Amino acid sequence: MRTATDAAAVTAELATVPAYERVALVDPRFIGHVHALRLALTDPRFPAAAVRGALSVQAEARTALVRAVTAAERTGTTAPTGSTPQPRSVAVAETTATDGTATAHSRVDDLAAALDAEGVAVHRPELGVLVADVPADAEAQAAARDAVAAVDDERVRLRSAVKARDGFFTTFCISPYSRYIARWCARRGLTPNQVTTASLLTALIAAACAATGTRPGFVSAGVLLLASFVLDCTDGQLARYSLQYSTLGAWLDATFDRAKEYAYYAGLALGAARGGDDVWALALGAMVLQTCRHVVDFAFNEANHDATGNSSPTAALSGRLDSVGWTVWVRRMIVLPIGERWAMIAVLTAFTTPRITFYVLLIGCALAACYTTAGRVLRSLTRRAERTDRAARALAELADSGPPAELVAKAAPRKASSYLAPLSAALGAAAVLAGTAAAGFGSWVPVGCAVLYAVLAGVAVAAPLKGPLDWLVPPLFRAAEYGTILILAAYAEMNGALPAAFGLVAAVAYHHYDTVYRIRGGTGAPPRRLVRAIGGHEGRTVVVTAAAALLHDQNQGFTIALTALAAVIALAVLIESIRFWVSSGAPAVHDETGEPA
């Protein structure tokens, strides 16, 4: 029987079979929508989607394709005499379908149970109104054909192109027409990657319009930002409508959203500067806050998605609120998901000033961060979840610890404590942020605080991160590193220091987002050699504080140091990231959970 370790091999084999396009792969008795097979076989939400999707189809439709998963364990099987040479899974499927061995219970059911037992979650997609059946007699066959004929296939495809769970603005103001744009694109042969690239280019043009600093430029920027968001929704809907998923598309979609938003912040700051208003600190603060919010989301989800005994009164209350219609939309809007956030930014850009735009954005995101983080802390304190080794490893990788923290972690006691990790991380973050803010630019006090922060960071990751609040460790590290850079650049009062700091944080944030999506794809963090080479979060913090102390009296010295550090880190992480994501072994990671970004 095939175990979890064989899932990748079966996935690779099934990936060579265009199953959703060939009715010949289906049991001759099968009656249903080929789109039902497409939905199951190409669902991108899980690693090893082909295996899990195939198992799902078997459970729903008893197709010969699924029996090929079990039959693939047999070696030396060939296609029937006189048949057209096909991939081995296809040949086995047809043989199995014609020799009468299909039963109501097959070894694939056992295989699904075995995968579950091995900790590999088997995905069983909801078919909705789609029909997938293998009728046993003529009467059931007629009923199945009538059921197929009664379904409007095109309407189903359009509806399934839209996420089942999304923000209010996206659901009611974008998706009602963007799905038709996706269909228009599909009929003209456009790919999701092309639409994703068009969305990025539109956002960059919007940022350039904002950088003009004129009222027509700001109005144009707001309109173009909304157009970019429409295209951003369209690319995912086009992928779901036409079932065009790819690793490159996953990487582009995961990367471009952040690039668009942060590039737009920079455009607003440049536009304000043309009008004599310096808002670079606000732009950098918005990027820091938004990135930290995302890290909270990622860390909490990674810590809890496979935890056992994962329930609490707070979670139960949240579930009850989700059953009340109006509370669902209020709770989705209050967290300022990407749709609401971009709509707010676009309107404020068109009708107010960049400073007001950033003030409202910072206040809104801060309130959203407090709401979501407080709720997750309450859930964590009231649940009795047991976190897995995989979750602890994911949190350690998200921590992004460098050589200084590694040395401390080796020397520190490794006895696990319920709250030692988040407490150490919080104390370290508070020390470096408060010390830097109090001492100001050019003092050696921030350097000492940064060294203390590195020591406490090592203590925080010395033991496996399995405590109830250990998911707070990565976002605390992000806040400490990014916040220190922001404070020093704001205090420097050097021309170009804040834009250089913006670039540095953007480069480091890209590395952290890249880490997140690799973990979500099941391949783990970037290589340790890369993490060590760029210093880790604590190493970079020490370097930046030391540069401020050493170069405070040199004209533009600190600005040059930040720019050089940003360039080196960006070059290193981009080379490794591009190498990984365009390689054949990179996972296809899609944001199909419905959680708004």
Side-chain angles (χ1 to χ4, degrees):
M1 184 170 294
R2 193 176 302 278
T3 62
T5 57
D6 301 307
V10 178
T11 301
E13 181 178 6
L14 291 179
T16 66
V17 183
Y20 57 85
E21 294 177 352
R22 303 179 61 177
V23 181
L25 290 178
V26 181
D27 189 308
R29 297 168 296 168
F30 173 78
I31 295 177
H33 293 90
V34 175
H35 186 63
L37 298 181
R38 293 178 178 175
L39 177 67
L41 289 170
T42 60
D43 192 293
R45 288 175 287 184
F46 299 86
V51 174
R52 298 168 192 181
L55 291 170
S56 309
V57 175
Q58 192 277 339
E60 298 291 339
R62 307 298 173 193
T63 67
L65 174 64
V66 180
R67 286 190 292 277
V69 179
T70 300
E73 297 179 6
R74 309 168 191 165
T75 58
T77 306
T78 58
T81 303
S83 64
T84 302
Q86 301 180 62
R88 183 163 62 91
S89 292
V90 181
V92 174
E94 293 180 346
T95 302
T96 307
T98 56
D99 64 9
T101 58
T103 60
H105 175 82
S106 74
R107 290 182 61 200
V108 179
D109 293 308
D110 298 329
L111 177 60
L115 286 173
D116 276 327
E118 292 285 343
V120 180
V122 177
H123 175 51
R124 298 177 174 86
E126 295 291 336
L127 296 181
V129 298
L130 292 174
V131 177
D133 194 16
V134 179
D137 53 42
E139 182 178 354
Q141 188 177 64
R145 293 190 184 281
D146 291 340
V148 170
V151 175
D152 185 341
D153 286 10
E154 182 61 19
R155 185 177 180 183
V156 169
R157 290 185 69 187
L158 281 171
R159 185 171 64 245
S160 63
V162 178
K163 285 182 181 180
R165 175 185 171 89
D166 220 327
F168 180 90
F169 179 77
T170 304
T171 300
F172 294 104
C173 300
I174 304 296
S175 293
Y177 59 87
S178 62
R179 69 184 75 183
Y180 296 101
I181 300 176
R183 182 173 66 180
W184 182 90
C185 293
R187 290 177 176 177
R188 282 152 184 82
L190 297 177
T191 66
N193 290 351
Q194 291 171 334
V195 178
T196 301
T197 304
S199 175
L200 174 66
L201 293 176
T202 304
L204 293 179
I205 295 172
C209 291
T212 63
T214 63
R215 181 52 52 193
F218 287 145
V219 173
S220 300
V223 173
L224 288 170
L225 186 65
L226 288 177
S228 174
F229 182 66
V230 172
L231 292 174
D232 183 54
C233 295
T234 301
D235 65 356
Q237 291 167 359
L238 174 59
R240 287 182 286 272
Y241 179 85
S242 59
L243 298 166
Q244 299 182 67
Y245 301 112
S246 69
T247 299
L248 177 61
W251 177 58
L252 293 177
D253 189 54
T255 303
F256 282 6
D257 277 353
R258 304 289 80 79
K260 289 181 286 188
E261 186 168 4
Y262 298 158
Y264 192 82
Y265 293 172
L268 282 176
L270 288 171
R274 286 181 177 272
D277 190 12
D278 186 356
V279 297
W280 274 107
L282 297 178
L284 179 53
M287 181 167 65
V288 169
L289 179 56
Q290 191 57 37
T291 304
C292 289
R293 284 185 63 200
H294 283 139
V295 176
V296 168
D297 295 341
F298 297 140
F300 180 80
N301 291 333
E302 287 299 325
N304 292 287
H305 86 280
D306 60 352
T308 59
N310 208 10
S311 61
S312 72
T314 307
L317 175 60
S318 177
R320 287 195 295 271
L321 288 176
D322 277 339
S323 64
V324 182
W326 66 271
T327 64
V328 174
W329 295 115
V330 170
R331 295 172 68 211
R332 291 187 191 179
M333 293 173 66
I334 200 172
V335 299
L336 271 186
I338 188 170
E340 278 76 357
R341 192 168 66 251
W342 282 26
M344 180 184 72
I345 294 171
V347 172
L348 290 173
T349 299
F351 295 104
T352 65
T353 66
R355 181 172 290 274
I356 293 175
T357 301
F358 280 123
Y359 278 150
V360 175
L361 178 64
L362 284 166
I363 292 171
C365 287
L367 292 175
C370 291
Y371 168 77
T372 55
T373 305
R376 287 166 177 172
V377 167
L378 286 175
R379 290 189 184 196
S380 300
L381 291 175
T382 55
R383 65 171 36 131
R384 293 294 180 266
E386 294 183 9
R387 292 181 172 83
T388 62
D389 291 337
R390 179 210 164 279
R393 183 170 60 254
L395 290 179
E397 292 169 340
L398 286 173
D400 191 37
S401 300
E406 287 181 335
L407 290 174
V408 174
K410 290 179 180 178
R414 299 187 60 82
K415 183 179 180 181
S417 174
S418 296
Y419 300 102
L420 177 61
L423 180 61
S424 298
L427 289 175
V432 71
L433 291 174
T436 303
F441 183 72
S443 170
W444 284 93
V445 172
V447 180
C449 293
V451 172
L452 175 61
Y453 165 65
V455 172
L456 291 172
V459 173
V461 297
L465 298 176
K466 293 186 176 182
L469 295 179
D470 284 1
W471 56 269
L472 285 171
V473 171
L476 285 169
F477 288 165
R478 298 296 85 78
E481 180 183 1
Y482 300 162
T484 300
I485 297 172
L486 170 59
I487 294 171
L488 288 174
Y491 280 1
E493 296 183 354
M494 286 184 182
N495 187 30
L498 278 167
F502 190 95
L504 175 58
V505 172
V508 176
Y510 176 84
H511 164 62
H512 290 143
Y513 280 115
D514 186 52
T515 301
V516 164
Y517 283 101
R518 292 196 196 204
I519 293 173
R520 290 175 67 174
T523 61
R528 286 300 304 168
R529 64 178 184 276
L530 174 67
V531 177
R532 293 189 180 102
I534 61 176
H537 66 94
E538 77 289 355
R540 290 188 295 270
T541 304
V542 172
V543 168
V544 171
T545 54
L550 290 169
L551 304 174
H552 71 282
D553 58 349
Q554 297 186 20
N555 184 31
Q556 302 302 309
F558 185 59
T559 299
I560 294 172
L562 291 180
T563 304
L565 186 59
V568 170
I569 291 175
L571 185 63
V573 300
L574 280 173
I575 290 175
E576 165 58 26
S577 179
I578 293 172
R579 181 208 63 78
F580 173 77
W581 287 103
V582 301
S583 70
S584 59
V589 182
H590 292 254
D591 182 21
E592 295 297 327
T593 60
E595 295 294 339

